[in-house]
Amino acid sequence: SQQYETAIQQKKQPLEMELSPKHRDTINTLKLLRCYSQTLNIYMDLRYEDAIAVLDEYSDLPTEEQATPHEMKLIQSLKCLKSELVKLPKVPNPLLAQVEEKLNSHFSGRPESKGICFVRTKKHAHAICDWISKL
């Protein structure tokens, strides 16, 4: 949820301000938790492909050669999450089908029309824009 992401951000910001290497593992863990939260929310609210895209975009961890032992665990965890997500059913979201039906019925006769779609997060907005452009 947005509250969860805000809480993570509030914990992460003071640590990043210190610029201390001792907080590196904690900061990377918090970043990864935020990524997990975004991925699961996108999977539940939108499409499977959008959730995979969130994981693919996540690049805040160092390369395996530069990673600390803790960061290696985070990298393995990220790979594990992606492999588990790939196993989940790729069931179409019924709410998106309803939205598509409404968009088609309302805008098909008036292509110059515009609309507003309210979503939970920026990631949701990007995913919805991508989805609409493919309709």
Side-chain angles (χ1 to χ4, degrees):
S1 71
Q2 190 64 41
Q3 294 90 354
Y4 181 77
E5 286 193 35
T6 301
I8 289 174
Q9 192 65 20
Q10 288 172 344
K11 290 186 182 309
K12 187 177 68 144
Q13 276 180 333
L15 298 175
E16 287 178 325
M17 296 292 233
E18 277 187 42
L19 298 173
S20 172
K22 69 180 181 180
H23 297 304
R24 177 177 163 173
D25 288 341
T26 304
I27 290 168
N28 283 327
T29 301
L30 291 169
K31 287 178 180 179
L32 193 60
L33 286 173
R34 185 169 184 225
C35 177
Y36 284 176
S37 173
Q38 291 171 343
T39 300
L40 293 175
N41 283 327
I42 293 283
Y43 177 77
M44 291 178 355
D45 294 345
L46 300 172
R47 301 176 304 164
Y48 164 85
E49 303 88 44
D50 301 317
I52 293 290
V54 170
L55 284 181
D56 287 342
E57 289 172 11
Y58 184 74
S59 61
D60 283 350
L61 291 174
T63 62
E64 291 187 19
E65 296 82 33
Q66 300 170 332
T68 66
H70 181 77
E71 289 168 336
M72 283 302 297
K73 289 179 185 176
L74 295 177
I75 291 168
Q76 292 305 316
S77 179
L78 186 62
K79 288 178 182 177
C80 182
L81 175 66
K82 189 169 182 180
S83 69
E84 289 300 315
L85 192 57
V86 169
K87 295 176 190 175
L88 290 175
K90 297 164 188 75
V91 179
N93 186 325
L95 293 176
L96 282 180
Q98 290 176 0
V99 170
E100 182 177 2
E101 183 181 315
K102 290 278 186 198
L103 289 172
N104 284 333
S105 68
H106 188 72
F107 294 110
S108 62
R110 298 170 273 175
E112 70 284 348
S113 298
K114 296 182 180 186
I116 297 174
C117 183
F118 295 95
V119 295
R120 286 203 252 180
T121 66
K122 286 182 186 178
K123 293 277 187 198
H124 281 75
H126 292 294
I128 286 286
C129 285
D130 182 52
W131 173 71
I132 287 173
S133 71
K134 293 178 181 175
L135 289 179

